[in-house]
Amino acid sequence: MIRIEAPSKPASQRLWHNARLASMAGGVAGIGIVRDGAVLVSGERIVFAGAHSELPPIDKDCEIVDCEGRWITPGLVDCHTHLVHAGNRAAEFEMRLRGATYQDIAVAGGGILSTLRATRAATLQQLIDAALPRLDALIGEGLGAIEIKSGYGLDLETERRMLQAARELGRLRRIHVHTTFLGAHALPPEMAGKADAYIDLVIGDMLPALAAEGLVDSVDGFCESIAFSPAQITRVFEAATALGLRVRLHADQLSNLHGARLAATHRALSADHLEFTDEAGAQALAEAGTVAVLLPGAYYFLREQTPPPVELLRRHGAAIALATDCNPGTSPLTSLLLAMNMAATQFRLTVEECLIGATRNAAQALGMERDIGTLESGKFADFAIWNIDDPAELVYRIGFNPLHSRIWRGR
């Protein structure tokens, strides 16, 4: 049974001890293992995480929790999702099984536009109600932070409603929600053949209004032959930067339009998918500090044959993160644990790369590395306690959730 821990009494401090830690603060490839560890929390922040023998003096009224030898990791971070949407695309799944490609479905009016129609018709409450079970599934696996994109409205009213729903999810559950405006996701049907004019609406009407309302933490775009060109995405990025917003990009998923280099040029938080990224793109990501977010759920669901260039990313030292890409059409996945297993089996990532990719590097992809992603003094007390014998089990097991309890902001 999964429990969300809550303090049994007011206390100035809480101490979790008799634990084994995987702090994810162990350097480039290390996961920071501490065999006899402790985590001391004051309010919402960690004040100590390390060996019990080095624990500083604690307050007399400190509440003490015996972890009975369990493992503690940072709370997991899902840094790329389309969690808020209406409807599903199970019918398209059947089409794909009969041989239709992603492009075939999009050209036939399915794909993103199918979800657009359902999402435009949904109320704010309906969007919230539909998203909550998906969010709860992720929280139930130790998630502490999540990114949620818009992009299924493609008009101001519906994009606003999606972002409002995402914000409300963060109020209804103990989780940090990072909102991303993805107006440049696809061309809405009423703008068919008018891509440049639609980008004018995105950067002239939608983005300024939504940013002014405090609904946007970052801005994304889909740079692909079935979506928007590098020149059009550049216009979106320039508009976002002028408003003081960071950017991210769906890049090089179906072809190499040099999206990774485009993202790096604009110092994007992340470039995501990357199946067709070349060596110049991998090098550019590393040099810019742009996180390479791999999405094994979409790769699996679409039965892709070209994996992202993991060796090139390693060679150039790019930070690699993992995410579910939870969405109705190409990755209906609500398990970050399964995403880690998929990344290991499909992309040959190591256990350490998967664990860091779902914590420390995922936090960096949200621009939140100073606050979450590792167990370190000064960071938010967001962590997960697991019934496992070794951290590798979090990557190795399939369809098994070993979460014992989840701590968020010290609660």
Side-chain angles (χ1 to χ4, degrees):
M1 178 177 173
I2 298 168
R3 300 181 293 116
I4 298 178
E5 292 230 359
S8 59
K9 61 179 180 179
S12 60
Q13 292 180 329
R14 297 189 79 197
L15 172 68
W16 286 262
H17 76 126
N18 189 17
R20 291 173 285 179
L21 310 184
S23 71
M24 306 303 158
V28 174
I31 62 172
I33 289 178
V34 179
R35 294 289 175 183
D36 183 15
V39 179
L40 181 63
V41 172
S42 179
E44 294 188 340
R45 300 276 179 173
I46 296 171
V47 295
F48 173 83
H52 193 279
S53 60
E54 300 173 8
L55 181 70
I58 62 176
D59 294 346
K60 288 189 294 185
D61 65 344
C62 178
E63 183 177 350
I64 298 176
V65 180
D66 185 350
C67 292
E68 301 176 326
R70 295 182 176 90
W71 282 89
I72 301 179
T73 70
L76 303 185
V77 179
D78 197 349
C79 62
H80 180 130
T81 84
H82 304 255
L83 196 82
V84 171
H85 62 265
N88 68 71
R89 303 207 318 246
E92 293 176 17
F93 175 65
E94 290 187 283
M95 289 174 61
R96 196 173 291 114
L97 292 177
R98 291 195 295 267
T101 66
Y102 184 91
Q103 292 93 328
D104 292 338
I105 292 169
V107 169
I112 292 169
L113 296 185
S114 172
T115 301
L116 175 146
R117 291 187 289 272
T119 303
R120 283 185 175 181
T123 66
L124 174 61
Q125 191 59 52
Q126 286 171 334
L127 290 175
I128 293 167
D129 291 344
L132 274 172
R134 297 188 280 267
L135 180 60
D136 287 341
L138 288 160
I139 289 174
E141 290 188 346
L143 203 73
I146 187 170
E147 186 254 17
I148 301 177
K149 304 177 191 294
S150 66
Y152 291 132
L154 309 184
D155 61 26
L156 178 56
E157 178 184 353
T158 316
E159 292 290 297
R160 176 187 286 121
R161 197 157 60 244
M162 292 185 70
L163 294 168
Q164 289 171 337
R167 286 281 194 240
E168 185 61 20
L169 292 173
R171 288 186 280 268
L172 292 172
R173 296 292 186 266
R174 294 178 183 176
I175 192 165
H176 175 83
V177 174
H178 175 109
T179 56
T180 297
F181 172 57
L182 181 55
H185 195 194
L187 196 60
E190 65 271 18
M191 298 295 293
K194 301 176 182 178
D196 285 328
Y198 175 69
I199 293 297
D200 289 341
L201 290 176
V202 168
I203 65 179
D205 295 350
M206 293 189 222
L207 178 54
L210 298 172
E213 294 167 24
L215 293 172
V216 182
D217 294 324
S218 63
V219 175
D220 199 349
F222 188 17
C223 185
E224 193 54 72
S225 59
I226 62 171
F228 297 100
S229 70
Q232 290 161 344
I233 293 296
T234 295
R235 294 178 60 204
V236 175
F237 281 3
E238 289 174 347
T241 301
L243 291 171
L245 295 167
R246 299 293 300 275
V247 299
R248 52 192 353 110
L249 186 64
H250 287 62
D252 305 337
Q253 179 187 6
L254 306 173
S255 62
N256 185 11
L257 294 185
H258 307 294
R261 279 191 285 173
L262 175 62
T265 298
H266 291 271
R267 299 283 171 177
L269 287 168
S270 69
D272 304 33
H273 286 291
L274 304 176
E275 280 85 342
F276 287 86
T277 296
D278 57 20
E279 182 162 11
Q283 182 175 358
L285 293 178
E287 292 175 351
T290 296
V291 179
V293 178
L294 307 186
L295 304 171
Y299 182 89
Y300 164 84
F301 199 76
L302 293 174
R303 295 187 292 178
E304 297 288 354
Q305 300 297 313
T306 302
V310 171
E311 278 302 323
L312 293 177
L313 295 170
R314 286 173 178 152
R315 183 184 310 161
H316 291 285
I320 298 173
L322 303 174
T324 63
D325 191 17
C326 176
N327 76 76
T330 64
S331 185
L333 174 63
T334 53
S335 171
L336 194 52
L337 294 178
L338 180 54
M340 286 195 285
N341 177 273
M342 286 179 167
T345 55
Q346 295 182 136
F347 302 157
R348 300 295 188 263
L349 263 62
T350 67
V351 164
E352 291 79 9
E353 287 171 330
C354 290
L355 292 171
I356 292 170
T359 53
R360 186 176 80 206
N361 288 352
Q364 183 183 340
L366 298 185
M368 294 189 66
E369 63 270 27
R370 294 184 179 181
D371 285 321
I372 61 174
T374 62
L375 301 176
E376 293 183 275
S377 176
K379 295 199 173 183
F380 280 123
D382 298 354
F383 50 91
I385 304 174
W386 306 95
N387 289 313
I388 54 176
D389 293 322
D390 188 278
E393 288 184 54
L394 298 178
V395 180
Y396 149 76
R397 290 187 179 274
I398 301 173
F400 178 78
N401 182 2
L403 185 70
H404 170 72
S405 55
R406 186 183 77 106
I407 314 302
W408 191 75
R409 306 292 159 92
R411 295 181 290 167

